[in-house]
Amino acid sequence: MLEHPLQRFFKSLRERPVFAWERYQMRDVLVIDHPLCQAVFSRQGAQLLHFQPKGQKPWLWCAAKWPHVGAIRGGVPVCWPWYGRHPSENAWPSHGWARLLDWKLLDSSSDDDGVHLHWQLQLCDWQVDLHAHLGERMDLHLSTEHQDDMPCQLSQALHAYWRIGDVGEVALSGLDGAQGYDQLSRQVCQQEGELRVDGGCQRVFQHDGELQLKDHAWQRELCIDTGDHADTVVWHPGSRPLLGVSWNEVLEFVCVEAASGGTDSLCLAPGERAHLSLQARVGV
């Protein structure tokens, strides 16, 4: 079991401030040390890279090595204003511009319940805001406002990489009976019983409410909620190699994502807002 690369910031015995900027692998990162949790955000992409409530193992996986430029693999990338490949511009980056650009941190505060952060990105006629509340649980909300005078298309995702003990020993429950689409076999599917991802998985489900990520190796259950108006995407590459990621690292994550507009792009009228959320807690 590899140590999470960002736990290095919390090894010192000296007392840290709740919020502190550091430089790591050519990125500015915000290190958060609160009595209830530890976390790390990247300014690039407003990307939550590490989250660990007190007394628990890390919830999120992050690659040990990052590219000198480009997207960081791991944590919770914000895929926006499109998810996957752009529908018409093949040369544009997969998953949009948001995870490649520096966001502004408009507000950060702490209280007895944890920390609150507000990140914002302005891009052309769009404004996107990410609100995060971290403590004993994780709560992320993405809000997009379309400020142009013409309708515009949007797709988006909170592409979470969940840290696990061993991909061969995890199962997802709560999807039984859910309709979906298997992007590997390119056909519709309906989940029956628990979903296991060992060997590779890329499925999009129409699903409301929580699902449970049962991690038998770590004897932990995470309850993940992708909201009422989003698809639930479950992904793991299986034996397919990932650029810059070792095979041992691939065994230590599974993606359960909140996504909207991936199958039918959202059409936003001028001034209209779109919302996306991702919440998680430890099962009882």
Side-chain angles (χ1 to χ4, degrees), residues 34-219:
H34 185 275
L36 291 182
C37 67
Q38 296 172 335
V40 178
F41 272 92
S42 169
R43 190 194 303 276
Q44 178 184 314
Q47 190 166 335
L48 178 58
L49 299 171
H50 172 62
F51 175 60
Q52 184 172 5
K54 183 178 180 181
Q56 299 184 32
K57 289 182 170 63
W59 284 23
L60 299 173
W61 173 91
C62 184
K65 294 182 179 180
W66 304 347
H68 293 308
V69 294
I72 302 169
R73 188 180 291 277
V76 189
V78 178
C79 303
W80 178 97
W82 63 87
Y83 173 53
R85 292 184 178 180
H86 191 276
S88 60
E89 301 290 342
N90 292 332
W92 287 8
S94 293
H95 298 316
W97 302 111
R99 65 181 188 152
L100 303 174
L101 300 174
D102 285 353
W103 292 48
K104 290 182 179 180
L105 180 59
L106 297 185
D107 185 55
S108 60
S109 62
S110 65
D111 55 29
D112 291 342
D113 292 329
V115 296
H116 305 261
L117 300 100
H118 177 193
W119 297 88
Q120 187 178 89
L121 178 67
Q122 292 273 356
L123 184 64
C124 299
D125 296 311
W126 299 84
Q127 176 181 302
V128 59
D129 294 87
L130 178 68
H131 292 268
H133 178 203
L134 307 174
E136 295 179 340
R137 55 185 293 160
M138 187 184 91
D139 192 343
L140 303 176
H141 287 271
L142 193 68
S143 176
T144 298
E145 183 178 356
H146 172 40
Q147 300 171 335
D148 198 0
D149 56 2
M150 296 290 290
C152 199
Q153 302 299 116
L154 171 72
S155 62
Q156 56 187 341
L158 293 168
H159 189 319
Y161 290 75
W162 301 100
R163 182 74 184 268
I164 54 176
D166 186 334
V167 71
E169 297 186 49
V170 298
L172 289 165
S173 62
L175 291 168
D176 190 28
Q179 301 288 329
Y181 184 78
D182 189 327
Q183 295 179 325
L184 296 181
S185 64
R186 298 185 180 181
Q187 60 185 9
V188 296
C189 62
Q190 178 173 315
Q191 183 60 34
E192 296 182 2
E194 292 184 333
L195 173 61
R196 296 185 176 272
V197 301
D198 192 22
C201 180
Q202 191 170 352
R203 297 184 183 181
V204 182
F205 292 99
Q206 291 78 53
H207 168 261
D208 294 339
E210 285 188 337
L211 58 85
Q212 293 76 43
L213 174 58
K214 298 180 178 180
D215 185 345
H216 298 294
W218 276 4
Q219 298 182 340

Side-chain angles (χ1 to χ4, degrees), residues 6-24 28-41 50 110 115:
L6 296 171
Q7 286 177 301
R8 64 189 298 275
F9 290 115
F10 306 102
K11 286 186 173 182
S12 173
L13 296 179
R14 66 182 176 88
E15 186 174 344
R16 296 186 59 97
V18 176
F19 302 102
W21 286 102
E22 302 277 359
R23 189 74 175 167
Y24 182 69
D28 291 330
V29 295
L30 181 63
V31 179
I32 300 168
D33 196 354
H34 185 275
L36 291 182
C37 67
Q38 296 172 335
V40 178
F41 272 92
H50 172 62
S110 65
V115 296

Side-chain angles (χ1 to χ4, degrees), residues 219-240:
Q219 298 182 340
R220 179 173 74 181
E221 179 179 289
L222 290 179
C223 299
I224 302 168
D225 193 337
T226 58
D228 297 333
H229 305 290
D231 293 333
T232 299
V233 181
V234 181
W235 176 74
H236 188 270
S239 60
R240 291 171 293 168

